[in-house]
Amino acid sequence: DKLNESPETLEYTVTENLEGAVVANLSSLIQEHKRKGAVSAHLIASNEARDKFILTDSGLLMTTNGLDYEEKDSYMVTIVMGRKGILRGKQAIQVKVHVIDENDNSPTFEQHVYQGHIPENSNVGTKVILARKITAVDPDISDKNGVKLELHGKDSDKFKLNPANGDVYLATDKLDREE
């Protein structure tokens, strides 16, 4: 007997980083197949899914470890049901698991130090000429507003940062190199 030609596909979601999370309760579906006499055993057929999920005897599909959205945003779990021993007359259920992203990664800067220069007698609002534009990336899509840039540290009060594009401007009276 062949595996059913087009197995039904169920879709569920699970938040990343949750070890032992219940993804789906498939017990009623498995019981329905058992009542029809078609099932006395079930297993996860896909190798990749076997490393990430378990299917309990009661029909709960659970994560074995926390999933990482940045590694993979969805998994297809194939569950095969049939008689113990030789799986004849087997049936399959496809479970597509969508991983929900959490804001669990810190933004990273393209470089650690940014340098720029500005003429000594520049007026307030003069743009600092940076050797390289200030950019940061956050791998988490759940941070819908993107990365918010701020200036901190010694003399940061003398400058203003445009958080949208990373441009830096003189914010105080003229700078004096001798001071």
Side-chain angles (χ1 to χ4, degrees):
D1 290 309
K2 290 183 183 176
L3 197 61
N4 49 326
E5 297 299 321
S6 57
E8 60 183 300
T9 300
L10 306 170
E11 295 195 34
Y12 295 92
T13 60
V14 65
T15 302
E16 73 173 327
N17 303 319
L18 297 178
E19 182 177 338
V22 175
V23 176
N25 184 345
L26 304 174
S27 60
S28 61
L29 194 59
I30 290 171
Q31 289 304 321
E32 178 185 326
H33 286 282
K34 282 183 179 180
R35 274 193 301 278
K36 293 177 184 174
V39 175
S40 61
H42 52 273
L43 60 91
I44 296 176
S46 42
N47 287 335
E48 178 188 37
R50 250 186 258 138
D51 293 339
K52 305 285 184 183
F53 301 92
I54 58 168
L55 184 61
T56 67
D57 290 337
S58 62
L60 296 179
L61 181 64
M62 302 174 67
T63 59
T64 54
N65 295 304
L67 304 175
D68 186 359
Y69 177 89
E70 288 74 31
E71 180 183 308
K72 190 165 181 174
D73 64 355
S74 68
Y75 293 87
M76 188 61 79
V77 181
T78 304
I79 299 169
V80 177
M81 299 178 292
R83 289 189 166 70
K84 268 196 169 141
I86 301 172
L87 291 174
R88 290 195 181 157
K90 52 194 171 188
Q91 298 220 355
I93 300 172
Q94 295 281 352
V95 179
K96 185 162 190 171
V97 180
H98 299 276
V99 182
I100 299 171
D101 190 27
E102 282 191 318
N103 192 5
D104 62 338
N105 293 291
S106 298
T108 56
F109 286 92
E110 196 172 275
Q111 59 190 58
H112 295 288
V113 176
Y114 290 87
Q115 295 182 347
H117 66 277
I118 187 169
E120 184 175 12
N121 294 320
S122 296
N123 294 321
V124 171
T126 301
K127 185 176 175 179
V128 175
I129 300 165
L130 295 169
R132 190 164 199 159
K133 184 178 176 173
I134 299 173
T135 55
V137 177
D138 188 343
D140 293 305
I141 66 158
S142 63
D143 191 0
K144 304 258 186 271
N145 298 325
V147 177
K148 181 183 173 192
L149 300 173
E150 296 177 354
L151 289 176
H152 292 278
K154 184 179 179 210
D155 295 328
S156 62
D157 59 326
K158 295 180 181 179
F159 299 93
K160 184 175 110 185
L161 174 73
N162 180 333
N165 63 19
D167 289 341
V168 180
Y169 299 90
L170 184 61
T172 61
D173 292 332
K174 296 178 179 169
L175 299 175
D176 185 353
R177 187 177 180 155
E178 284 78 36
E179 286 183 10

